[in-house]
Amino acid sequence: MTRTCRKADSSPTTSHAPRTLPPELLTAGARRLGIMALLSAFANVGMGLGSRLLGARLGLPSPSGIVLFAEIAAIAASFGMFALTRRTGQDPAELLDRGLVYEVGMGFLIAVTYHCWPAPPGQMPKGWSPVAVWLVAFALLVPATRGKNALATVATALMDPLGLMVSVALGSPVPPALVVASMFLPTAIAAAAAIVGSRVVSELSQQAGRAQELGSYRLVALLGRGGMGEV
């Protein structure tokens, strides 16, 4: 079988983004970043409205202003990131680096919303934080080098206790140490799983990229096929 190839670009690059991933996979990662940001925006809108409707029906106290601020900021940041990914002529690698900053910022806003939301009287201590879900989903869907992924994942996980500190600073009671440990243990486990899972996905992506290369050449497109093979 014969395929048309082009010479791979061997010139050095100055990009700070993942250099081990082929350009096609970086572009796909930037596209997934946009989709994830858009879904996050709509999820924040839906959960905010749903929680308020349910709270009003159950007679629960209204959330404080910091919760509303965090929700609006998360929605605005998500729509802004989606709009950024839709702009043409951008370097997907630099866009993915900005996505890591977005991941950490969203982790903080999610943590503030979660920990500052008023709990009904007599309710059992809150369980695991949605920050755990966020950092796992982001690490698996948005590619990054191992170092950058680990740094962003750990920083996002640390936003969870920071959100609790904001809640305590605003007047919420300090939970017992055992409750705090049980609250943040799932986030720590999720961070470890995200780092390992991202490494596996990155290795599979690299293998897929190498499968498209023939020495110093890269397969580009199918020009035609016939009885003797494909060109």
Side-chain angles (χ1 to χ4, degrees), residues 29-193:
R31 184 167 55 251
R32 291 196 299 270
L33 172 61
I35 295 174
M36 188 172 184
L38 185 62
L39 291 177
S40 176
F42 284 116
N44 277 278
V45 172
M47 288 188 295
L49 293 176
S51 298
R52 282 169 172 78
L53 292 175
L54 181 60
R57 188 168 185 176
L58 298 177
L60 302 179
S62 300
S64 60
I66 189 67
V67 173
L68 180 61
F69 171 79
E71 290 175 330
I72 294 176
I75 294 170
S78 296
F79 277 125
M81 178 55 64
F82 172 73
L84 189 62
T85 62
R86 302 297 293 177
R87 293 174 57 185
T88 58
Q90 293 192 92
D91 181 5
E94 295 180 359
L95 186 59
L96 292 178
D97 282 348
R98 297 178 183 179
L100 296 178
V101 179
Y102 165 72
E103 176 191 4
V104 178
M106 282 293 295
F108 174 71
L109 296 173
I110 293 172
V112 169
T113 302
Y114 176 74
H115 292 292
C116 294
W117 196 278
Q123 185 189 51
M124 296 183 63
K126 293 182 179 180
W128 55 271
S129 168
V131 174
V133 178
W134 169 252
L135 61 87
V136 169
F138 200 96
L140 295 180
L141 292 177
V142 181
T145 58
R146 296 178 184 176
K148 290 180 180 179
N149 172 68
L151 180 61
T153 300
V154 172
T156 304
L158 292 176
M159 296 300 104
D160 205 1
L162 184 58
L164 178 62
M165 293 173 60
V166 171
S167 177
V168 171
L170 294 176
S172 299
V174 180
L178 184 60
V179 173
V180 173
S182 63
M183 188 183 300
F184 296 130
L185 180 59
T187 303
I189 296 175

